[in-house]
Protein backbone atom coordinates (compact mmCIF):
# COMPACT_ATOMS: atom_id res chain seq x y z
CA UNK A 1 0.00 0.00 0.00
CA UNK A 2 1.65 3.23 -1.15
CA UNK A 3 2.28 5.82 1.54
CA UNK A 4 5.22 7.88 0.37
CA UNK A 5 3.24 11.16 0.37
CA UNK A 6 1.80 12.75 3.54
CA UNK A 7 -1.74 14.11 3.76
CA UNK A 8 -0.37 17.65 4.15
CA UNK A 9 1.78 17.29 1.02
CA UNK A 10 -1.14 15.97 -1.02
CA UNK A 11 -3.45 18.76 0.15
CA UNK A 12 -0.81 21.40 -0.61
CA UNK A 13 -0.35 20.04 -4.12
CA UNK A 14 -4.12 20.00 -4.59
CA UNK A 15 -4.32 23.72 -3.85
CA UNK A 16 -1.44 24.38 -6.27
CA UNK A 17 -2.85 22.43 -9.22
CA UNK A 18 -6.58 22.98 -8.66
CA UNK A 19 -7.52 26.11 -6.74
CA UNK A 20 -4.63 28.42 -7.59
CA UNK A 21 -4.86 28.07 -11.41
CA UNK A 22 -8.66 28.36 -11.26
CA UNK A 23 -8.41 31.63 -9.32
CA UNK A 24 -5.78 32.95 -11.75
CA UNK A 25 -8.00 32.07 -14.72
CA UNK A 26 -10.97 33.79 -13.12
CA UNK A 27 -9.08 36.98 -12.28
CA UNK A 28 -7.37 37.12 -15.68
CA UNK A 29 -10.59 36.42 -17.58
CA UNK A 30 -12.62 38.98 -15.66
CA UNK A 31 -9.83 41.54 -15.93
CA UNK A 32 -9.45 41.11 -19.70
CA UNK A 33 -13.22 41.26 -20.18
CA UNK A 34 -13.55 44.48 -18.19
CA UNK A 35 -10.58 46.03 -20.03
CA UNK A 36 -12.00 45.19 -23.46
CA UNK A 37 -15.41 46.49 -22.49
CA UNK A 38 -14.02 49.71 -20.99
CA UNK A 39 -12.18 50.42 -24.25
CA UNK A 40 -15.22 49.57 -26.39
CA UNK A 41 -13.38 46.68 -28.01
CA UNK A 42 -16.30 44.31 -27.48
CA UNK A 43 -20.08 44.94 -27.68
CA UNK A 44 -22.21 45.39 -24.57
CA UNK A 45 -23.22 41.73 -24.42
CA UNK A 46 -19.53 40.79 -24.69
CA UNK A 47 -18.95 41.45 -20.98
CA UNK A 48 -21.60 38.89 -20.00
CA UNK A 49 -20.23 36.43 -22.55
CA UNK A 50 -16.71 37.00 -21.26
CA UNK A 51 -17.72 36.37 -17.64
CA UNK A 52 -19.58 33.20 -18.60
CA UNK A 53 -16.67 31.94 -20.72
CA UNK A 54 -14.22 32.65 -17.90
CA UNK A 55 -16.33 30.72 -15.40
CA UNK A 56 -16.78 27.78 -17.81
CA UNK A 57 -13.06 27.57 -18.61
CA UNK A 58 -12.14 27.69 -14.91
CA UNK A 59 -14.65 24.96 -14.14
CA UNK A 60 -13.36 22.82 -17.01
CA UNK A 61 -9.84 23.14 -15.60
CA UNK A 62 -11.03 21.95 -12.20
CA UNK A 63 -13.17 19.17 -13.71
CA UNK A 64 -10.21 17.76 -15.63
CA UNK A 65 -7.42 18.28 -13.11
CA UNK A 66 -9.35 17.13 -10.02
CA UNK A 67 -9.45 13.62 -11.46
CA UNK A 68 -5.69 13.63 -12.04
CA UNK A 69 -5.02 14.92 -8.54
CA UNK A 70 -7.51 12.55 -6.93
CA UNK A 71 -5.93 9.46 -8.51
CA UNK A 72 -2.38 10.59 -7.68
CA UNK A 73 -3.20 11.58 -4.10
CA UNK A 74 -5.21 8.54 -3.09
CA UNK A 75 -2.69 6.21 -4.69
CA UNK A 76 0.30 7.71 -2.89
CA UNK A 77 -1.15 8.66 0.52
CA UNK A 78 -1.48 5.99 3.21
CA UNK A 79 -4.21 7.59 5.36
CA UNK A 80 -6.94 7.88 2.75
CA UNK A 81 -9.75 8.46 5.26
CA UNK A 82 -8.04 11.56 6.65
CA UNK A 83 -7.12 12.69 3.14
CA UNK A 84 -10.72 12.47 1.94
CA UNK A 85 -12.06 14.37 4.94
CA UNK A 86 -9.40 17.08 4.57
CA UNK A 87 -9.92 17.37 0.80
CA UNK A 88 -13.68 17.88 1.23
CA UNK A 89 -13.17 20.31 4.12
CA UNK A 90 -10.68 22.40 2.12
CA UNK A 91 -12.93 22.33 -0.96
CA UNK A 92 -10.60 20.39 -3.24
CA UNK A 93 -13.23 17.73 -3.91
CA UNK A 94 -16.96 17.49 -3.30
CA UNK A 95 -18.72 15.02 -0.97
CA UNK A 96 -19.81 11.68 -2.41
CA UNK A 97 -22.92 11.82 -4.58
CA UNK A 98 -22.79 15.61 -4.79
CA UNK A 99 -24.15 16.97 -8.04
CA UNK A 100 -20.86 18.83 -8.52
CA UNK A 101 -18.86 15.61 -8.16
CA UNK A 102 -20.68 14.39 -11.27
CA UNK A 103 -19.08 17.22 -13.29
CA UNK A 104 -15.60 15.68 -12.88
CA UNK A 105 -14.19 14.59 -16.21
CA UNK A 106 -13.13 10.93 -15.96
CA UNK A 107 -12.10 8.61 -18.75
CA UNK A 108 -12.89 4.90 -18.65
CA UNK A 109 -9.33 4.28 -17.45
CA UNK A 110 -9.74 6.90 -14.71
CA UNK A 111 -12.95 5.26 -13.49
CA UNK A 112 -11.27 1.85 -13.43
CA UNK A 113 -8.27 3.21 -11.51
CA UNK A 114 -10.52 4.93 -8.95
CA UNK A 115 -12.49 1.71 -8.46
CA UNK A 116 -9.23 -0.17 -7.81
CA UNK A 117 -8.20 2.42 -5.20
CA UNK A 118 -11.37 1.82 -3.18
CA UNK A 119 -9.69 -1.20 -1.57
CA UNK A 120 -7.53 1.23 0.43
CA UNK A 121 -10.63 2.47 2.26
CA UNK A 122 -11.07 -0.98 3.81
CA UNK A 123 -8.06 -0.31 6.03
CA UNK A 124 -7.98 2.02 9.02
CA UNK A 125 -5.65 5.00 8.85
CA UNK A 126 -2.20 4.54 10.35
CA UNK A 127 -1.95 6.54 13.57
CA UNK A 128 1.19 8.64 14.03
CA UNK A 129 1.37 10.24 17.46
CA UNK A 130 2.80 13.72 18.03
CA UNK A 131 4.66 13.66 21.33
CA UNK A 132 4.80 17.46 21.42
CA UNK A 133 1.06 17.53 22.09
CA UNK A 134 0.28 17.20 25.84
CA UNK A 135 -2.02 14.58 27.35
CA UNK A 136 -4.74 17.20 27.60
CA UNK A 137 -5.47 20.42 25.74
CA UNK A 138 -7.63 23.15 27.24
CA UNK A 139 -8.90 25.86 24.91
CA UNK A 140 -10.01 29.27 26.19
CA UNK A 141 -11.21 32.51 24.68
CA UNK A 142 -8.33 34.30 22.97
CA UNK A 143 -7.50 37.50 24.84
CA UNK A 144 -5.57 38.97 21.90
CA UNK A 145 -8.37 38.35 19.39
CA UNK A 146 -11.08 39.72 21.66
CA UNK A 147 -9.15 42.76 22.85
CA UNK A 148 -8.32 43.64 19.24
CA UNK A 149 -11.97 43.37 18.24
CA UNK A 150 -12.94 45.38 21.34
CA UNK A 151 -10.60 48.19 20.29
CA UNK A 152 -12.08 48.20 16.78
CA UNK A 153 -15.60 48.41 18.21
CA UNK A 154 -14.57 51.26 20.52
CA UNK A 155 -13.24 53.11 17.47
CA UNK A 156 -16.59 52.50 15.81
CA UNK A 157 -18.32 54.05 18.84
CA UNK A 158 -15.95 57.02 18.73
CA UNK A 159 -16.80 57.43 15.06
CA UNK A 160 -20.47 57.43 16.01
CA UNK A 161 -19.88 60.23 18.51
CA UNK A 162 -18.06 62.24 15.85
CA UNK A 163 -20.91 61.76 13.37
CA UNK A 164 -23.47 62.85 15.99
CA UNK A 165 -21.50 65.99 16.90
CA UNK A 166 -20.36 67.06 13.45
CA UNK A 167 -23.17 66.03 11.10
CA UNK A 168 -26.93 65.71 10.93
CA UNK A 169 -26.77 61.93 10.41
CA UNK A 170 -28.25 61.12 13.80
CA UNK A 171 -29.48 57.65 12.86
CA UNK A 172 -26.12 56.54 11.44
CA UNK A 173 -24.25 58.07 14.36
CA UNK A 174 -26.52 56.42 16.91
CA UNK A 175 -26.20 53.02 15.25
CA UNK A 176 -22.41 53.32 15.20
CA UNK A 177 -22.27 54.48 18.82
CA UNK A 178 -24.66 51.93 20.28
CA UNK A 179 -23.54 49.03 18.08
CA UNK A 180 -19.88 49.68 18.81
CA UNK A 181 -20.56 49.96 22.54
CA UNK A 182 -22.55 46.72 22.63
CA UNK A 183 -20.01 44.68 20.70
CA UNK A 184 -17.01 46.14 22.54
CA UNK A 185 -18.62 45.14 25.85
CA UNK A 186 -19.28 41.66 24.50
CA UNK A 187 -15.67 41.31 23.35
CA UNK A 188 -14.47 42.52 26.77
CA UNK A 189 -16.58 39.87 28.52
CA UNK A 190 -15.11 37.16 26.29
CA UNK A 191 -11.54 38.44 26.75
CA UNK A 192 -11.90 38.30 30.53
CA UNK A 193 -13.72 34.95 30.55
CA UNK A 194 -11.37 32.36 32.12
CA UNK A 195 -13.72 29.38 31.80
CA UNK A 196 -12.43 26.54 29.57
CA UNK A 197 -14.39 26.41 26.31
CA UNK A 198 -13.12 23.05 25.04
CA UNK A 199 -11.25 20.28 26.90
CA UNK A 200 -9.70 17.50 24.82
CA UNK A 201 -7.80 14.41 25.93
CA UNK A 202 -7.52 10.74 25.04
CA UNK A 203 -10.64 10.00 27.09
CA UNK A 204 -12.99 12.32 25.22
CA UNK A 205 -14.29 15.88 24.80
CA UNK A 206 -16.11 18.38 26.96
CA UNK A 207 -17.16 21.84 25.81
CA UNK A 208 -18.65 24.87 27.52
CA UNK A 209 -22.07 23.92 26.15
CA UNK A 210 -21.89 20.10 26.18
CA UNK A 211 -21.04 17.67 28.96
CA UNK A 212 -18.16 15.22 28.73
CA UNK A 213 -18.49 12.35 26.28
CA UNK A 214 -15.92 9.64 25.63
CA UNK A 215 -14.58 9.00 22.16
CA UNK A 216 -16.62 5.80 22.06
CA UNK A 217 -19.78 7.86 22.53
CA UNK A 218 -19.17 10.49 19.84
CA UNK A 219 -18.83 10.38 16.07
CA UNK A 220 -18.30 12.61 13.03
CA UNK A 221 -16.13 15.05 14.97
CA UNK A 222 -14.50 17.82 12.94
CA UNK A 223 -14.28 21.57 12.49
CA UNK A 224 -16.36 22.74 9.54
CA UNK A 225 -16.83 26.03 7.74
CA UNK A 226 -20.38 27.27 7.24
CA UNK A 227 -21.49 30.24 5.19
CA UNK A 228 -19.42 32.18 2.70
CA UNK A 229 -17.48 35.41 2.51
CA UNK A 230 -17.80 37.66 5.55
CA UNK A 231 -20.58 35.41 6.87
CA UNK A 232 -18.30 32.36 6.97
CA UNK A 233 -17.72 30.86 10.42
CA UNK A 234 -15.94 27.80 11.82
CA UNK A 235 -17.70 25.35 14.13
CA UNK A 236 -16.68 22.33 16.16
CA UNK A 237 -19.30 19.68 15.42
CA UNK A 238 -19.83 16.13 16.56
CA UNK A 239 -22.66 13.74 17.34
CA UNK A 240 -23.21 12.31 20.83
CA UNK A 241 -25.90 10.14 22.49
CA UNK A 242 -28.05 13.14 23.45
CA UNK A 243 -27.79 15.06 20.17
CA UNK A 244 -24.97 17.02 18.62
CA UNK A 245 -22.50 19.81 19.33
CA UNK A 246 -22.24 22.93 17.16
CA UNK A 247 -19.79 25.37 18.76
CA UNK A 248 -18.38 28.45 17.00
CA UNK A 249 -14.61 28.69 17.59
CA UNK A 250 -13.30 31.90 15.96
CA UNK A 251 -12.87 33.73 19.26
CA UNK A 252 -10.96 30.85 20.90
CA UNK A 253 -7.18 30.51 21.17
CA UNK A 254 -7.07 27.94 18.37
CA UNK A 255 -7.94 27.72 14.69
CA UNK A 256 -9.74 25.24 12.44
CA UNK A 257 -6.62 23.43 11.23
CA UNK A 258 -5.07 23.07 14.70
CA UNK A 259 -8.31 21.88 16.28
CA UNK A 260 -8.92 19.33 13.54
CA UNK A 261 -5.40 17.98 14.10
CA UNK A 262 -6.12 17.67 17.82
CA UNK A 263 -9.33 15.77 17.13
CA UNK A 264 -7.46 13.26 14.97
CA UNK A 265 -4.64 12.93 17.50
CA UNK A 266 -6.73 12.38 20.63
CA UNK A 267 -9.10 10.05 18.78
CA UNK A 268 -6.04 8.08 17.63
CA UNK A 269 -4.60 7.91 21.14
CA UNK A 270 -7.92 6.63 22.45
CA UNK A 271 -8.16 3.94 19.77
CA UNK A 272 -4.58 2.84 20.46
CA UNK A 273 -5.21 2.69 24.22
CA UNK A 274 -8.40 0.64 23.90
CA UNK A 275 -7.16 -1.96 21.45
Amino acid sequence: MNGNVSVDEAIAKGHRVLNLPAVVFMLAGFGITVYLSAHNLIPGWGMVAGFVATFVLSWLWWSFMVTKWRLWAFENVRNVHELKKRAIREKLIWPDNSIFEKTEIRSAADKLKWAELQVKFRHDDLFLDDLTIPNETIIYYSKSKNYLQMILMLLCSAGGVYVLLKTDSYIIGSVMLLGGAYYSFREYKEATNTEPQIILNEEGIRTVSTEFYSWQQISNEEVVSEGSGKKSHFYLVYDHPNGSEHLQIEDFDTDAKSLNQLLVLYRGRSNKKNR
Side-chain angles (χ1 to χ4, degrees):
M1 184 178 296
N2 293 340
N4 57 309
V5 176
S6 71
V7 172
D8 286 340
E9 291 171 337
I11 293 295
K13 182 172 181 178
H15 285 299
R16 289 197 305 271
V17 303
L18 296 176
N19 291 347
L20 181 58
V23 170
V24 171
F25 292 158
M26 293 283 281
L27 293 176
F30 290 161
I32 292 172
T33 300
V34 170
Y35 175 84
L36 294 176
S37 178
H39 289 76
N40 297 317
L41 298 175
I42 55 175
W45 54 264
M47 179 174 285
V48 175
F51 287 167
V52 172
T54 296
F55 177 80
V56 170
L57 289 174
S58 298
W59 191 271
L60 285 174
W61 171 267
W62 177 87
S63 298
F64 177 76
M65 291 303 298
V66 69
T67 297
K68 305 304 178 186
W69 175 83
R70 183 195 290 269
L71 296 177
W72 169 84
F74 284 90
E75 180 178 14
N76 290 284
V77 170
R78 168 62 178 81
N79 289 351
V80 292
H81 297 281
E82 181 184 356
L83 173 62
K84 183 176 181 179
K85 184 179 286 188
R86 283 273 309 273
I88 293 174
R89 186 188 306 140
E90 300 193 24
K91 298 179 174 26
L92 291 176
I93 62 175
W94 294 92
D96 292 340
N97 301 317
S98 165
I99 186 173
F100 298 109
E101 183 194 27
K102 302 182 186 303
T103 65
E104 295 183 18
I105 299 174
R106 302 181 186 178
S107 66
D110 292 334
K111 294 178 182 178
L112 178 60
K113 181 65 174 180
W114 181 240
E116 293 173 349
L117 289 173
Q118 297 309 297
V119 69
K120 297 184 71 173
F121 287 92
R122 300 176 188 173
H123 303 275
D124 292 334
D125 285 350
L126 182 66
F127 174 62
L128 297 175
D129 203 349
D130 183 351
L131 299 180
T132 65
I133 302 299
N135 294 330
E136 181 173 84
T137 298
I138 302 178
I139 297 171
Y140 299 90
Y141 274 113
S142 170
K143 293 184 182 300
S144 59
K145 291 179 184 177
N146 285 285
Y147 277 131
L148 175 60
Q149 293 176 24
M150 183 188 74
I151 292 172
L152 293 175
M153 290 300 99
L154 287 174
L155 291 174
C156 179
S157 289
V161 172
Y162 178 84
V163 170
L164 287 172
L165 294 176
K166 298 295 184 178
T167 73
D168 295 328
S169 302
Y170 300 116
I171 295 178
I172 295 176
S174 298
V175 170
M176 292 176 63
L177 173 61
L178 297 176
Y182 168 78
Y183 284 107
S184 62
F185 177 69
R186 192 182 74 170
E187 298 298 337
Y188 173 77
K189 286 185 63 178
E190 292 182 355
T192 56
N193 186 333
T194 58
E195 182 180 5
Q197 301 301 298
I198 303 172
I199 299 178
L200 295 146
N201 54 45
E202 64 182 27
E203 302 299 326
I205 307 177
R206 179 172 72 84
T207 75
V208 67
S209 57
T210 302
E211 64 183 87
F212 172 84
Y213 287 101
S214 68
W215 290 107
Q216 288 70 38
Q217 293 176 294
I218 69 175
S219 59
N220 302 318
E221 68 279 358
E222 65 176 320
V223 178
V224 299
S225 173
E226 297 181 0
S228 59
K230 294 183 178 180
K231 295 183 178 180
S232 176
H233 298 288
F234 289 101
Y235 297 87
L236 167 63
V237 299
Y238 57 86
D239 298 321
H240 55 73
N242 293 316
S244 61
E245 175 61 292
H246 189 262
L247 181 65
Q248 190 172 337
I249 69 162
E250 279 104 331
D251 290 334
F252 300 164
D253 56 358
T254 187
D255 55 51
K257 181 179 180 180
S258 298
L259 186 50
N260 270 315
Q261 290 174 340
L262 290 174
L263 293 172
V264 172
L265 185 139
Y266 286 117
R267 164 73 77 176
R269 287 181 180 176
S270 175
N271 292 341
K272 184 178 179 180
K273 179 180 178 181
N274 293 301
R275 281 176 183 171

